[in-house]
Amino acid sequence: MAAETVVEATGVAMRFGGVNAVDGVSMRLARHELRCLIGPNGAGKSTFFKCLSGQYRPTEGDIQLAGESIVGLEKHDIAQRGVGVKTQVPSLMNALTVHENLWLAARAVRSRSAAAVKARVGELIDALDLGPIVHRPTGLLAHGQRQVVELGVVLAPDPWLVLLDEPAGGLTRSEVERMAELVTALAARATVVVVEHDMNFVRRIAHAVTVFHQGRILTEGPAAQVLADDRVRDVYLGKRR
Ligand SMILES: Nc1ncnc2c1ncn2[C@@H]1O[C@H](COP(=O)(O)OP(=O)(O)OP(=O)(O)O)[C@@H](O)[C@H]1O
Ligand SMILES: [Mg+2]
C-alpha cells in the first residue's frame, strides 16, 4: 500500500500586487517524509512555506493537512493541530535560559501535566545535547547553539509536521553536519519540510528534493538526481529564466 498522504497542496498561488511569488504549486508529502525545498533567491520557497504554516492565506488553491483544509485558519490554530514552525526570524526569548525557553514551549500543550512537561524538556535536552548550556540565557549563546535551541522550541510540543526555514543558515560546516543529523533523526517521528540553500546540508540529508524557480516547481526527485540535473544548476547560475 502506498504511504499515507498527510500534506497535500493543490494549485497554490500567492500574489503580492503584481508579483506571482508562488504560481500554481502542487505537492504531496507522505507521513514521515523528509522533503527539502530548494531554489535560487526569490524562487518562492519561503512564501510557499508561509502558506503551509498559515502565515499567508494563499490567493488560490488548497492545502490539506492530515485530510483537512487549513486555508483561512490562523497560525495558532494550525500550530494547535500539531504543526511546528521555525521561520527565518529568531524566536527565542533572549533574557530567559535555554531551559526556560524549552519549558515554556513544552507547556504550550495545554493537556500536558506538569510531570509530562518536565519529561518532555528532559528528552529535548538529551536529544539535542543541550545539557552544558541549559542554564545560560539564550541571548548569550553563539548562533549555532541558538539554532539548535530554536529547533528544540519547535519540537517541544511534539508536532507531527515540522516546517523548517533555513535551519542550517549561518552554521559552520561541523554545525551543518550536526543539524543534518538532528533533522534526519526527526523524520522518525514527524513529517518534515526543510527550506534550505546549503547544498551540503541537502546532500547530507539526501531525501526527496523539490526545486522551486519563479514561483513554480522546476523538478522534484531524489537528492542525488536533482542535484546532478543541469536545469537545476542553470537556475542557480541564473542561466535559465
Ligand atoms: N510580503 C511580500 N510582499 C511583496 N513581495 C514579496 C513578499 N514576500 C515575497 N515577495 C516576493 O516574492 C518572491 C518570492 O519570495 P520568497 O521570499 O518566497 O523567495 P525565497 O525562495 O524564499 O528566496 P530566498 O532564498 O532569498 O529566501 C520574490 O520576488 C519576493 O520579492
Ligand atoms: Mg526564503
Side-chain angles (χ1 to χ4, degrees):
M1 200 183 79
E4 184 192 355
T5 298
V6 291
V7 177
E8 180 153 29
T10 314
V12 173
M14 183 77 209
R15 284 184 251 293
F16 299 105
V19 178
N20 293 326
V22 174
D23 194 14
V25 167
S26 298
M27 192 182 292
R28 293 164 78 113
L29 301 183
R31 183 176 297 285
H32 290 197
E33 180 167 355
L34 168 48
R35 177 75 63 97
C36 290
L37 311 184
I38 68 169
N41 292 118
K45 307 177 297 293
S46 293
T47 304
F48 179 70
F49 180 98
K50 288 172 186 168
C51 291
L52 291 179
S53 67
Q55 193 171 338
Y56 292 149
R57 182 191 179 128
T59 327
E60 271 174 44
D62 190 30
I63 297 172
Q64 304 224 341
L65 300 185
E68 284 181 51
S69 178
I70 52 99
V71 171
L73 293 184
E74 296 294 333
K75 261 193 313 192
H76 59 262
D77 289 328
I78 295 174
Q80 282 295 328
R81 288 170 185 232
V83 179
V85 182
K86 181 185 174 316
T87 63
Q88 282 178 274
V89 183
S91 65
L92 297 176
M93 284 177 257
N94 286 335
L96 302 184
T97 65
V98 171
H99 189 273
E100 287 163 340
N101 271 276
L102 293 175
W103 183 79
L104 284 174
R107 219 172 131 251
V109 181
R110 290 188 204 106
S111 58
R112 270 184 189 157
S113 64
V117 170
K118 192 172 174 214
R120 183 66 184 139
V121 171
E123 276 172 21
L124 288 165
I125 291 169
D126 288 346
L128 303 177
D129 206 8
L130 294 171
I133 57 170
V134 81
H135 297 301
R136 298 195 60 198
T138 54
L140 298 180
L141 299 178
H143 174 72
Q145 294 174 317
R146 289 178 60 89
Q147 291 285 81
V148 176
V149 179
E150 290 220 23
L151 182 64
V153 164
V154 172
L155 301 186
D158 209 1
W160 67 268
L161 175 63
V162 179
L163 309 175
L164 305 171
D165 202 351
E166 300 202 15
L171 299 186
T172 64
R173 185 128 185 162
S174 63
E175 288 169 343
V176 168
E177 294 278 314
R178 168 99 179 107
M179 185 59 79
E181 267 169 30
L182 294 175
V183 171
T184 306
L186 180 56
R189 61 196 285 166
T191 303
V192 188
V193 179
V194 187
V195 173
E196 192 47 74
H197 270 295
D198 190 316
M199 289 304 148
N200 206 11
F201 179 86
V202 173
R203 219 170 257 121
R204 180 69 181 62
I205 288 185
H207 277 249
V209 175
T210 300
V211 185
F212 278 66
H213 178 49
Q214 297 183 337
R216 299 189 181 176
I217 294 179
L218 176 72
T219 184
E220 202 162 73
Q225 179 191 315
V226 165
L227 297 176
D229 188 326
D230 284 347
R231 291 175 306 159
V232 174
R233 199 200 49 207
D234 286 355
V235 299
Y236 271 96
L237 295 175
K239 282 193 194 162
R240 188 179 286 257
R241 294 199 55 83

